Amino acid sequence: PDQLSFTAQPVSLQGQATFGDHLQLNRAELIVPRVQPGQSIGVVGEWAATGSEAQAIVAVLDAAGHQWSAGDAPIPLGDTVRTRRINVPVPLTIPPGEYQLILNVIDVANGGPISTRKSDGTLGGTDWRLGSITIDPAQTPIDPATRQTPITLNADLGGLRAIGTETPPAPIISGD
């Protein structure tokens, strides 16, 4: 098709966020603006961070505020600006549509969230809205009623038995 392109460009997200006193997200980019169920969302952040260890978490939320997925990565500490990629898996069950990407930063030492700081120095919230992403429909919808399992369930595999997700035969004996 004429609209098909293999040269997707990163999309700028809302950067310029300060978390606490020592963590600065200078910029953030979305690797591709559209994904499908089963793929992953790549978010790259440029951080200037000193102080104690922190973890960045990017969540995918629908319009009702339901969290569908999240990915995390440690924030790189150091005297220079460093980048970090966070991959967020896209569940196979997510409906197509527009979703929000929300960033939270957690203090690793105490497990608590680190609040953002506004430009006037006052505390903001813990959720930083990075931007949005479009989840496209899966290329090939899977009908659960006709889906074939990749292996035969309850198959003898030369001394092992692949029981899959069906209820195991009763009684279960150690070593089965």
Side-chain angles (χ1 to χ4, degrees), residues 21-173:
D21 296 322
H22 303 287
L23 303 168
Q24 173 71 37
L25 175 63
N26 294 327
R27 68 180 180 84
E29 291 181 334
L30 189 58
I31 304 235
V32 293
R34 307 175 80 90
V35 294
Q36 296 175 359
Q39 295 179 334
S40 65
I41 300 166
V43 176
V44 175
E46 181 182 88
W47 293 89
T50 60
S52 62
E53 292 182 60
Q55 191 84 359
I57 302 169
V58 174
V60 177
L61 277 68
D62 62 19
H66 172 76
Q67 181 176 317
W68 283 88
S69 186
D72 63 354
I75 295 174
L77 299 176
D79 295 333
T80 60
V81 173
R82 298 177 186 205
T83 59
R84 177 68 55 174
R85 179 177 174 155
I86 300 174
N87 290 313
V88 183
V90 180
L92 292 172
T93 56
I94 194 168
E98 190 85 7
Y99 291 83
Q100 297 303 310
L101 298 173
I102 304 296
L103 172 67
N104 291 106
V105 176
I106 304 298
D107 184 325
V108 173
N110 67 25
I114 300 174
S115 294
T116 58
R117 289 219 177 257
K118 298 179 183 176
S119 58
D120 65 2
T122 60
L123 288 178
T126 56
D127 292 344
W128 181 258
R129 186 183 176 280
L130 288 170
S132 61
I133 188 162
T134 300
I135 307 293
D136 288 329
Q139 277 186 329
T140 308
I142 298 171
D143 179 7
T146 59
R147 181 174 181 260
Q148 297 294 315
T149 57
I151 61 169
T152 303
L153 297 178
N154 293 314
D156 184 10
L157 301 175
L160 297 175
R161 181 161 298 278
I163 59 172
T165 58
E166 293 181 342
T167 306
I172 297 175
I173 300 171

